[in-house]
């Protein structure tokens, strides 16, 4: 079998090993295109027929600002080296299969939901030939490669891992807005079922990654990926908790942050209206739900609760500002500016704005959502049309287009002059000059804090 692995390494080196990428989303599509660009023949498999059709037409199905991706999709398809399909038959020809399907958690229990992963593995295992290297790029709860991926592939394919096929886990570090940049420039953790498999994986990724490729085992790779996103979530939760404390004390968290970060080794992140995206809200739960953490985790769930609470805090700020204007939240018409979870992106997964819209609805207020990148919220007339006649505007996403909003014009369009800023896009001074009642996450009003009342 060592010979077969060595042969595969040679085919990879020569870019003659046929590749399959299962799942052509934010992770799979750019990876498939990058390998096609370097000379590999790539089959891209997805369940979404419209997505497959767009890719085969050379059209990038991902919107938002994604530098270089649209051109790369056109180039990869035009070269004849990337072909997308909904038909898994061609998986039988793949010598390397990369899996990039969603690995969400349950909304209520936060347990990993493996439906897409199982589906992808079954499609592959039913057709996989001996000598295939299977690499999961999706993020996994620690222990999933050994506990689910390996036994499922063996059972369905009737092949033996380590003898007839090999397994690797190479989690992605991309983020929307920087997909191609991150693939090329971020160090990658390359988990192989054996050190020899990790070395072959490194020879594969060397074709598209210019940064360090760190060989390790499967479990360590799972822990690194879920750990790095849990780390970020906990750090954002700290910033958000500081924001709540500063607001309540009548201080400005952004000034506090600037000064706090002058202390050696302190890097406080930016607070905000909530945490969204495919990864940060769920990967901490994958860490907590994986091998080794049974009953141990306290900090990670607490951080999740802090971050999940931020849209509710925005609602409280809105209710306070409306009250100051002599208006009520119930019955108010509220412009929600930004529905993506990230600035200048079309990615709405786990968007804090969707939670705010739910909360507004529960409070009897009507949300008018605008987002320049997200259908159906990119109305003609832009943010101005969305805001016209509303009782308040709430900025949930720091899209570039919102940074340019002239506040005097905003005030003229609103029927009640209330602006809630979830991302510190504006300053209190600007808002005052425009005659707006302004609230910003993390900024207490002078004289309103608990210090003032002592
Ligand atoms: N989006 C990110 O920025 C990012 C970053 C790092 C890691 N990840 C991880 O990568 C994985 C994929 O995330 P994504 O953002 O690319 O998801 P995505 O939803 O953008 O894309 C996944 C694609 O997989 C397809 N799919 C689902 N089941 C399938 C099946 N059985 N067969 C074929 N196709 C199938 C879907 O139709 C979809 O097009 C997840 O584990 C995620 O946590 C995502």
């Amino acid at each position: 079998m060592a010979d077969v692995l060595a042969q595969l390494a040679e085919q990879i080196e020569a870019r003659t090993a046929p590749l399959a990428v299962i799942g052509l989303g934010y992770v799979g599509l750019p990876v498939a295109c990058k390998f096609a660009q370097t000379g590999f023949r790539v089959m891209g498999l997805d369940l979404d027929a419209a997505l497959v059709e767009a890719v085969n037409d050379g059209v990038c199905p991902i919107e938002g600002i994604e530098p270089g991706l649209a051109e790369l999709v056109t180039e990869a398809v035009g070269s004849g080296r990337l072909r997308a399909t909904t038909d898994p038959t061609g998986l039988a020809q793949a010598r390397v299969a990369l899996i990039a399907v969603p690995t969400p958690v349950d909304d209520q229990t936060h347990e990993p939901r493996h439906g897409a992963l199982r589906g992808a593995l079954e499609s592959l295992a039913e057709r996989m030939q001996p000598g295939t290297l299977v690499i999961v790029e999706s993020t996994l709860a620690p222990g999933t490669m050994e506990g689910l991926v390996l036994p499922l592939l063996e059972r369905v394919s009737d092949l033996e891992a380590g003898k007839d096929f090999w397994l690797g886990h190479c989690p992605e570090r991309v983020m929307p807005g920087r997909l191609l940049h991150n693939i090329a420039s971020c160090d990658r953790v390359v988990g192989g079922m054996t050190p020899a498999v990790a070395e072959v994986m490194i020879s594969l990724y060397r074709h598209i990654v210019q940064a360090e490729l760190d060989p390790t085992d499967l479990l360590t790779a799972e822990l690194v990926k879920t750990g790095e996103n849990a780390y970020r979530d906990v750090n954002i939760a700290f910033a958000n908790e500081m924001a709540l404390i500063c607001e309540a004390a009548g201080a400005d968290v952004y000034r506090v942050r600037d000064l706090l970060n002058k202390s050696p080794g302190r890097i406080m992140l930016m607070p905000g209206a909530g945490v969204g995206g495919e990864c940060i809200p769920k990967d901490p739960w994958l860490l907590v739900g994986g091998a080794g953490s049974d009953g141990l985790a306290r900090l990670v769930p607490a951080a999740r609760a802090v971050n999940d609470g931020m849209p509710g805090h925005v609602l409280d700020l809105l209710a306070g500002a409306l009250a100051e204007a002599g208006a009520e939240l119930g019955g108010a018409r509220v412009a929600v500016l930004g529905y993506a979870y990230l600035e200048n992106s079309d990615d709405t997964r786990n968007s804090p704005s969707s939670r705010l819209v739910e909360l507004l609805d529960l409070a009897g207020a009507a949300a008018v959502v605008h987002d320049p990148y997200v259908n159906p919220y990119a109305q003609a007339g832009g943010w101005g049309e969305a805001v016209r006649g509303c009782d308040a505007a709430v900025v949930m996403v720091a899209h570039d287009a919102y940074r340019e909003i002239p506040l005097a014009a905003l005030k003229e369009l609103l029927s009640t002059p209330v602006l809630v800023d979830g991302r510190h896009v504006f300053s209190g001074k600007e808002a005052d000059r425009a005659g707006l009642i302004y609230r910003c996450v993390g900024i207490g009003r002078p004289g309103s804090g608990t210090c003032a009342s002592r």
Side-chain angles (χ1 to χ4, degrees):
M1 201 55 193
D3 286 356
V4 187
L5 190 60
Q7 256 175 29
L8 177 60
E10 280 168 24
Q11 284 185 313
I12 286 173
E13 197 52 47
R15 303 177 173 104
T16 54
L19 304 192
V21 176
I22 307 180
L24 293 178
Y26 288 90
V27 167
L29 180 63
V31 167
C33 290
K34 287 293 283 182
F35 278 119
Q37 186 187 35
T38 62
F40 286 91
R41 297 194 86 77
V42 184
M43 163 191 168
L45 178 69
D46 204 290
L47 300 175
D48 182 338
L51 181 151
V52 163
E53 194 183 324
V55 172
N56 284 335
D57 286 345
V59 175
C60 178
I62 296 173
E63 291 174 13
I65 299 175
E66 206 54 78
L69 187 59
E71 295 82 354
L72 185 57
V73 172
T74 310
E75 178 195 324
V77 173
S79 72
R81 287 194 294 272
L82 173 63
R83 189 181 58 86
T85 178
T86 55
D87 177 2
T89 313
L91 291 174
Q93 273 82 57
R95 294 299 314 277
V96 181
L98 299 161
I99 298 178
V101 297
T103 47
V105 296
D106 186 88
D107 284 346
Q108 304 302 320
T109 65
H110 310 303
E111 295 284 318
R113 281 188 6 221
H114 289 131
L117 182 64
R118 281 180 194 279
L121 291 168
E122 279 163 11
S123 292
L124 175 64
E126 282 162 10
R127 298 160 179 92
M128 184 168 78
Q129 298 300 307
T132 305
L133 168 60
V134 181
I135 300 174
V136 180
E137 290 211 356
S138 302
T139 307
L140 300 174
T144 307
M145 287 298 295
E146 288 282 350
L148 187 151
V149 176
L150 187 152
L152 191 156
L153 285 174
E154 284 192 331
R155 180 172 50 76
V156 178
S157 69
D158 217 12
L159 300 173
E160 192 181 322
K163 181 167 161 283
D164 303 317
F165 69 95
W166 305 280
L167 275 184
H169 177 42
C170 190
E172 272 289 355
R173 284 176 168 149
V174 295
M175 66 177 288
R178 303 171 65 81
L179 294 175
L180 294 178
H181 177 269
N182 282 19
I183 286 177
S185 65
C186 287
D187 295 347
R188 285 286 282 274
V189 55
V190 182
M193 65 185 300
T194 65
V197 172
E199 284 311 316
V200 175
M201 291 168 66
I202 285 177
S203 70
L204 175 72
Y205 282 99
R206 185 49 67 217
H207 289 287
I208 62 167
V209 177
Q210 272 88 57
E212 283 182 34
L213 294 165
D214 298 309
T216 187
D217 57 84
L218 299 172
L219 179 64
T220 303
E222 292 166 329
L223 281 159
V224 169
K225 176 64 197 181
T226 50
E228 68 197 30
N229 279 351
Y231 173 88
R232 185 153 178 85
D233 198 48
V234 167
N235 278 276
I236 296 171
F238 175 76
N240 282 336
E241 195 151 288
M242 282 297 289
L244 299 178
I245 289 169
C246 288
E247 246 181 65
D252 176 343
V253 74
Y254 300 95
R255 180 67 182 141
V256 169
R257 174 178 174 269
D258 285 348
L259 300 179
L260 185 157
N261 281 344
K262 290 195 163 192
S263 180
R266 273 57 161 190
I267 310 172
M268 182 180 147
L269 300 180
M270 288 287 271
V275 172
E278 165 67 2
C279 300
I280 304 291
K282 61 103 175 159
D283 291 354
W285 291 123
L286 290 179
L287 175 67
V288 166
S293 62
D294 230 6
L296 284 178
R298 286 179 293 162
L299 179 63
V300 170
R304 285 279 65 245
V306 171
N307 291 336
D308 279 349
M310 294 311 287
H313 180 63
V314 170
L315 189 81
D316 292 344
L317 290 177
L318 173 64
L322 283 168
E324 189 180 322
E328 283 188 7
L329 184 57
R333 202 174 138 82
V334 178
V336 175
L337 299 182
Y339 199 77
Y341 87 89
L342 182 70
E343 57 270 22
N344 303 323
S345 166
D346 71 336
D347 192 341
T348 60
R349 290 177 292 181
N350 300 308
S351 148
S353 303
S354 66
R355 179 67 187 139
L356 179 66
V357 169
E358 283 170 13
L359 293 172
L360 284 167
D361 190 42
L362 287 172
V368 182
V369 181
H370 175 264
D371 192 302
Y373 299 109
V374 179
N375 276 322
Y377 304 124
Q379 306 93 322
W383 62 266
E385 258 330 286
V387 161
R388 189 186 297 279
C390 282
D391 299 297
V394 180
V395 176
M396 289 295 285
V397 186
H399 287 316
D400 289 349
Y402 297 153
R403 292 189 181 279
E404 287 157 16
I405 292 177
L407 293 188
L410 177 76
K411 181 185 176 248
E412 288 311 307
L413 289 166
L414 288 165
S415 66
T416 313
V418 166
L419 172 62
V420 178
D421 188 350
R423 299 289 170 187
H424 198 218
V425 166
F426 303 105
S427 73
K429 278 192 186 138
E430 269 178 288
D432 278 353
R433 274 198 299 273
L436 288 158
I437 296 171
Y438 177 75
R439 297 285 189 280
C440 181
V441 168
I443 302 184
R445 283 166 306 134
S448 68
T450 46
C451 290
S453 59
R454 281 208 185 117

